[in-house]
Amino acid sequence: MQGAEKGQSARLDGRDLRIGIVQARFNDALTSRMAQVCTDELLALGVARKHIQHVTVPGALEVPVALQAMADSERFDALVALGLVIRGETYHFELVSNESGAGVTRVSLDHHIPVANAILTVENEAQALARVEEKSRDAARVAVEMANLLDELL
């Protein structure tokens, strides 16, 4: 929910973390903004620019396969999925939303790596504009927090 109380974050120290970002290019003006905001937040959290790898894919359905390749490489402490699916006139919106979300979750669970899912699913461009920056910052923070948590637990 927009503006929801998120509680107090745990350890948000990004030093020594390696983060991979996969950005869907569909709705490129907004997803490129998401990538910039996410990267800026990772840098603010202490992640070194050289430890951030950003790749792009055609759309939200392709995000999970790129995440999977990054997870397979075992070079990353956490991953971020960025994309934007805006409802259209057909069932395709539900298919893309559901399948991309399920694919992102599967990568995380199968590889035991945190994946911050910031593939936005919205009704219209106004909703997207209202969420792009906050969700992108949130994704960076989730990636760092979860990477640190898993490091402590494993």
Side-chain angles (χ1 to χ4, degrees), residues 2-74:
Q2 184 80 7
E5 173 58 44
K6 297 172 188 155
Q8 183 63 31
S9 294
R11 200 166 135 231
L12 289 175
D13 181 359
R15 289 176 292 170
D16 301 321
L17 294 180
R18 296 178 184 272
I19 308 292
I21 300 171
V22 178
Q23 171 202 339
R25 291 188 311 269
F26 205 84
N27 296 306
D28 187 54
L30 292 173
T31 62
S32 289
R33 179 67 186 145
M34 293 176 77
Q36 185 61 59
V37 169
C38 181
T39 299
D40 289 347
E41 185 68 12
L42 289 170
L43 293 169
L45 295 172
V47 179
R49 185 173 297 280
K50 69 181 180 179
H51 292 159
I52 300 170
Q53 183 175 357
H54 172 217
V55 300
T56 64
V57 296
L61 287 174
E62 291 75 37
V63 169
V65 73
L67 291 170
Q68 186 173 33
M70 287 178 146
D72 284 343
S73 78
E74 298 183 353

Side-chain angles (χ1 to χ4, degrees), residues 20 22 64-79 104 106-115:
V22 178
V65 73
L67 291 170
Q68 186 173 33
M70 287 178 146
D72 284 343
S73 78
E74 298 183 353
R75 292 181 299 148
F76 300 95
D77 299 296
L79 304 171
V104 169
R106 182 172 173 192
V107 169
S108 183
L109 294 174
D110 287 354
H111 292 275
H112 302 102
I113 187 170
V115 182

Side-chain angles (χ1 to χ4, degrees), residues 78-123:
L79 304 171
V80 177
L82 300 175
L84 175 59
V85 184
I86 301 174
R87 184 180 296 279
E89 297 176 4
T90 67
Y91 181 73
H92 190 66
F93 170 85
E94 283 83 4
L95 175 96
V96 173
S97 299
N98 293 336
E99 294 301 319
S100 63
V104 169
T105 299
R106 182 172 173 192
V107 169
S108 183
L109 294 174
D110 287 354
H111 292 275
H112 302 102
I113 187 170
V115 182
N117 186 350
I119 299 177
L120 300 178
T121 54
V122 297
E123 296 293 325

